[in-house]
C-alpha cells in the first residue's frame, strides 16, 4: 500500500524541508480549514513554486496525512510511574489526544483516513502496551473502543459548535412537552465534564471485563 509514509523521504530542496511544509500546512488548515488547503496556496505561503513543493509531497492527501500526524504528535506520551493503576496513563493519553484534536478543529473532518504516521502509531503502540501490561491479552477491542470514543467526542463537539450551537436547545425548550428529558438537560453538554464522565464509564467497564 503506497502512501506518504511508505515512500522514501527526499532531501531538502532549495532550503524547503518537509518540516516547514507540514508546519505551514497546519497553520493554513487552522486558518481556513480543509477546503482552504490547496497545493497552490501552500506553495505561495511557503514562498516557493509548486515544483519544489511536489519534490516532497505528491498530493493534497499527502499533506493532510502529514498535518494530521503532526497534530497527534502534540499529545504527549504519559510518563510511566510504577504503582499507578493501568487506567491512569490511558486516561491521560486519551485526554491529551482529544485536546490536540480540538486545538485544530479541521482534524475532526479527516479522521476517516488510516492513521499510519509515526506519531499516531507511537501513541497506539503505547496504548496497546499499556493494555497488555494491564492484563488485556488481545487489546485491539479495548483500544478501538477508546479511540472511537475520543474521535466521536471530538467530531460531535466540533460539529455542534460549528453548525448548531444554542439554537437546538432553544428549539427543545420551546417544545418541552414532547422531549422533557432533552428539554431539561439539553443536547449541548459541558464538553470537558461530559468527556471525562464518559471516559470514566468506559474505563470502569474495561476494568470489570479485565477482572
Amino acid at each position: 500500500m503506497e502512501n506518504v509514509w511508505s515512500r522514501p523521504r527526499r532531501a531538502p530542496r532549495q532550503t524547503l524541508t518537509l518540516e516547514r511544509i507540514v508546519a505551514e500546512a497546519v497553520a493554513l488548515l487552522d486558518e481556513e480549514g480543509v477546503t482552504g488547503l490547496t497545493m497552490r496556496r501552500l506553495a505561495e505561503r511557503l514562498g516557493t513554486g509548486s515544483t519544489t513543493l511536489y519534490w516532497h509531497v505528491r498530493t493534497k492527501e499527502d499533506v493532510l496525512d502529514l498535518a494530521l500526524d503532526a497534530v497527534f504528535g502534540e499529545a504527549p506520551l504519559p510518563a510511566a510511574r510504577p504503582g499507578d493503576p493501568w487506567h491512569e496513563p490511558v486516561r491521560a493519553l486519551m485526554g491529551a489526544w482529544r485536546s490536540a484534536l480540538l486545538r485544530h478543529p479541521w482534524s475532526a473532518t479527516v479522521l476517516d483516513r488510516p492513521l499510519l504516521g509515526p506519531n499516531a502509531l507511537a501513541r497506539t503502540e503505547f496504548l496497546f502496551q499499556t493494555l497488555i501490561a494491564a492484563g488485556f491479552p488481545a487489546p485491539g477491542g479495548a483500544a478501538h473502543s477508546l479511540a472511537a470514543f475520543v474521535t466521536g467526542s471530538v467530531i460531535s463537539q466540533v460539529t455542534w459548535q460549528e453548525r448548531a450551537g444554542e439554537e437546538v436547545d432553544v428549539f427543545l425548550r420551546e417544545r418541552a412537552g414532547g422531549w422533557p428529558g432533552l428539554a431539561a438537560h439539553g443536547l449541548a453538554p459541558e464538553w470537558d465534564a461530559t468527556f471525562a464522565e464518559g471516559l470514566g464509564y468506559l474505563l470502569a467497564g474495561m476494568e470489570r471485563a479485565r477482572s
Side-chain angles (χ1 to χ4, degrees):
M1 175 174 137
E2 185 184 69
N3 53 47
V4 69
W5 312 114
S6 63
R7 296 193 294 268
R9 182 167 176 174
R10 290 183 159 185
R13 188 175 187 183
Q14 298 179 9
T15 73
L16 180 63
T17 63
L18 190 61
E19 288 77 14
R20 278 191 62 210
I21 293 171
V22 174
E24 196 61 49
V26 171
L28 176 56
L29 286 161
D30 287 346
E31 293 171 17
E32 302 185 23
V34 173
T35 58
L37 173 65
T38 66
M39 300 296 273
R40 179 179 177 180
R41 288 276 292 113
L42 182 57
E44 289 173 351
R45 288 174 66 110
L46 289 163
T48 189
S50 297
T51 301
T52 304
L53 181 59
Y54 283 118
W55 173 259
H56 293 282
V57 289
R58 294 182 182 177
T59 66
K60 176 179 174 177
E61 295 303 307
D62 285 354
V63 176
L64 287 172
D65 282 337
L66 291 161
L68 183 58
D69 196 62
V71 171
F72 276 93
E74 295 182 13
L77 292 173
R81 295 184 298 184
D84 278 356
W86 67 271
H87 50 77
E88 287 307 316
V90 172
R91 189 191 304 274
L93 179 61
M94 296 301 101
W97 182 7
R98 170 180 176 259
S99 295
L101 293 171
L102 287 175
R103 283 195 295 272
H104 308 278
W106 57 268
S107 65
T109 68
V110 294
L111 288 171
D112 57 346
R113 64 191 54 238
L115 301 176
L116 300 177
N119 291 321
L121 290 178
R123 279 139 191 83
T124 303
E125 176 68 13
F126 177 90
L127 180 58
F128 267 56
Q129 292 293 350
T130 302
L131 293 172
I132 292 169
F136 294 89
H144 177 78
S145 297
L146 289 162
F149 177 73
V150 173
T151 56
S153 171
V154 169
I155 291 169
S156 294
Q157 182 173 343
V158 170
T159 302
W160 181 275
Q161 292 174 338
E162 288 183 351
R163 301 182 185 175
E166 297 179 354
E167 294 181 7
V168 174
D169 277 344
V170 172
F171 174 86
L172 290 172
R173 286 195 298 271
E174 291 174 348
R175 295 159 179 81
W179 303 282
L182 293 176
H185 298 283
L187 285 175
E190 295 292 331
W191 295 105
D192 292 344
T194 300
F195 175 81
E197 183 180 8
L199 181 58
Y201 292 147
L202 183 54
L203 293 172
M206 291 170 58
E207 175 65 27
R208 288 193 295 272
R210 186 181 70 99
S211 302

